[in-house]
Amino acid sequence: MHGEPERGCLQERRPACLVAAALALTCLGAACRPKATSAPTPPAKVENARKETELATVTLTEKAEARLGMKVAAVERRRIERVRTFGGEIVVPKGRSIQVSAPVAGTILPAGTITAGATVRKGQVIVRLAALPAAGELAAADVRLEAVRKKVERAARLVETGAGSQRSLEEARAELELAEAAAKAGRGGRRNGAMAIESPQAGVIRELLVGPGQSVAAGALLFQVDAVETLWVRVPVYVGELGAIDRARDATVRPLSAPVGTSGLEAQPVAAPPSADPIAATSDLYFQIANEAGGPLRPGEKVDVSLGLVGADEERLVLPWSAVIHDINGGTWVYERRAPHVFARRRVEVAQVVGPWAVLGRGPTPGTPVVSVGAAEIFGTEFGNGK
């Protein structure tokens, strides 16, 4: 009997218990849920950013284009020879540098204004040499001079005693003058009939080792002359790249002062004594190049040399090198014609320059018109420096 009231009490409290359990579960779920967090602050904030495809456009009048002499060319795909550029040095071919020595001992005489570095022709007189007589000739002249002096003394005594004639004395004195002059000329060097030492070939005086008034021994080096109408180009190539070089193809040589994109001078492969640098791990290739007197190349000059690579030429995306401009950071750009008289700057990636062409690694699609003459003036106009 006692159990009945207790069970009834539990039944009466069940709704309240269920409500309490529901509230406990709700509070527990709220505690387990993560709290909402605010978005992190970015480390940098960029305002007014513009994509390169939305750069400023430049609109020119027809009169302005005519004044600039503007020209437009299309980007195209062209078959370009595969080349690689190395540093080279202009050298004198083996056997074309001649040293000239004194044939006999003598004294150097003035022979004009020839100096080291002067361009000379074959047969041109470089120095004059007054040959000195041999020691035996000098001794003979001294003995003869002493004999003539004694002869004059005897003739003078005979005239005093009346046993000789005045004519004999005068003849003896004249002979003495001749003997003295011969001895003096022998000691000072005979200037009459001096040897003319000529250049054995046309070229450039590399060294002039003597000057006027200098005494030289037989066999002493006087000067050196280098032939320059034909020169060699020595190109050190890393041995790991030798296999990629087509040694049968001509090379293109450009002086360092030549603007990029200008055509160079053709040089032909030539057989030369092998040479290498084991420290730098390079082996030398030689090419022959024509260089007329007074030409642009000089022995010892550093040049750029473009060598052909093994394999067929490849088709690449190209545009005229004159169309490429550089910004202050070294970036390369072209001006694309978007509409008549409307131009927009576009970035390009130049892989190499071959002759008048800039070979692109990345750039506009073929057929895109770009400014080939007048791009620099548009660049100045865009940034406020143009007229």
Side-chain angles (χ1 to χ4, degrees):
M1 293 299 289
H2 294 285
E4 293 296 331
E6 184 177 355
R7 187 168 53 249
C9 180
L10 292 174
Q11 290 178 350
E12 290 177 358
R13 291 187 299 176
R14 182 177 298 173
C17 293
L18 292 176
V19 171
L23 291 174
L25 291 174
T26 301
C27 293
L28 180 63
C32 293
R33 284 198 305 268
K35 295 181 179 180
T37 58
S38 59
T41 302
K45 184 179 181 181
V46 180
E47 296 180 349
N48 302 323
R50 301 186 66 180
K51 298 181 180 179
E52 288 189 359
T53 55
E54 300 174 355
L55 294 177
T57 58
V58 179
T59 303
L60 299 179
T61 63
E62 185 175 352
K63 183 178 180 180
E65 289 188 14
R67 185 173 67 252
L68 295 177
M70 185 176 297
K71 295 182 181 179
V72 176
V75 179
E76 58 181 297
R77 300 194 70 87
R78 178 182 290 266
R79 188 164 292 277
I80 297 295
E81 61 178 350
R82 301 176 66 242
V83 298
R84 189 168 298 166
T85 301
F86 298 86
E89 179 185 4
I90 303 298
V91 297
V92 178
K94 300 294 184 181
R96 301 306 304 275
S97 182
I98 300 177
Q99 295 179 332
V100 179
S101 302
V104 296
T107 302
I108 302 299
L109 303 178
T113 58
I114 300 297
T115 59
T119 301
V120 297
R121 62 184 183 276
K122 182 179 180 180
Q124 183 174 346
V125 176
I126 307 302
V127 297
R128 294 185 180 275
L129 178 66
L132 295 176
E137 295 179 359
L138 288 175
D142 291 340
V143 171
R144 182 169 180 272
L145 177 60
E146 187 62 25
V148 174
R149 284 175 178 168
K150 292 180 179 180
K151 183 178 179 180
V152 171
E153 293 175 359
R154 289 195 300 270
R157 287 196 299 269
L158 291 175
V159 170
E160 291 176 359
T161 59
S165 64
Q166 186 65 31
R167 180 178 179 180
S168 298
L169 178 59
E170 292 175 355
E171 290 177 352
R173 287 175 176 172
E175 189 176 352
L176 175 61
E177 291 178 0
L178 293 175
E180 289 175 345
K184 182 177 179 180
R187 291 186 179 88
R190 296 180 303 207
R191 295 183 179 270
N192 294 332
M195 299 180 183
I197 310 299
E198 302 175 347
S199 173
Q201 63 180 1
V204 174
I205 300 296
R206 186 180 186 88
E207 290 182 303
L208 184 60
L209 304 176
V210 294
Q214 181 178 344
S215 297
V216 295
L221 183 61
L222 301 179
F223 61 89
Q224 177 179 333
V225 57
D226 294 342
V228 294
E229 70 276 4
T230 300
L231 296 171
W232 282 2
V233 185
R234 183 180 68 87
V235 186
V237 178
Y238 173 60
V239 293
E241 296 182 306
L242 280 175
I245 304 300
D246 188 350
R247 306 188 194 182
R249 292 173 61 175
D250 292 349
T252 302
V253 180
R254 296 181 184 86
L256 297 182
S257 59
V260 178
T262 57
S263 58
L265 304 173
E266 296 299 321
Q268 295 74 38
V270 63
S275 61
D277 185 348
I279 298 178
T282 58
S283 182
D284 296 333
L285 301 179
Y286 288 87
F287 299 85
Q288 181 174 288
I289 186 169
N291 185 59
E292 299 179 357
L297 301 176
R298 298 175 64 86
E301 179 181 355
K302 303 297 183 180
V303 292
D304 283 335
V305 185
S306 297
L307 304 182
L309 302 181
V310 175
D313 297 340
E314 54 187 352
E315 195 173 79
R316 301 288 298 274
L317 190 67
V318 302
L319 50 74
W321 171 246
S322 59
V324 179
I325 58 176
H326 295 77
D327 61 22
I328 193 172
N329 298 313
T332 48
W333 304 79
V334 297
Y335 276 97
E336 177 184 337
R337 187 174 66 181
R338 296 284 178 85
H341 313 302
V342 179
F343 306 92
R345 184 161 48 92
R346 181 167 181 178
R347 186 185 296 275
V348 294
E349 181 182 314
V350 179
Q352 65 182 120
V353 179
V354 180
W357 301 104
V359 182
L360 301 183
R362 183 182 62 177
T365 58
T368 302
V370 295
V371 178
S372 60
V373 176
E377 287 76 9
I378 300 179
F379 187 77
T381 299
E382 180 181 352
F383 289 94
N385 299 321
K387 294 182 179 180

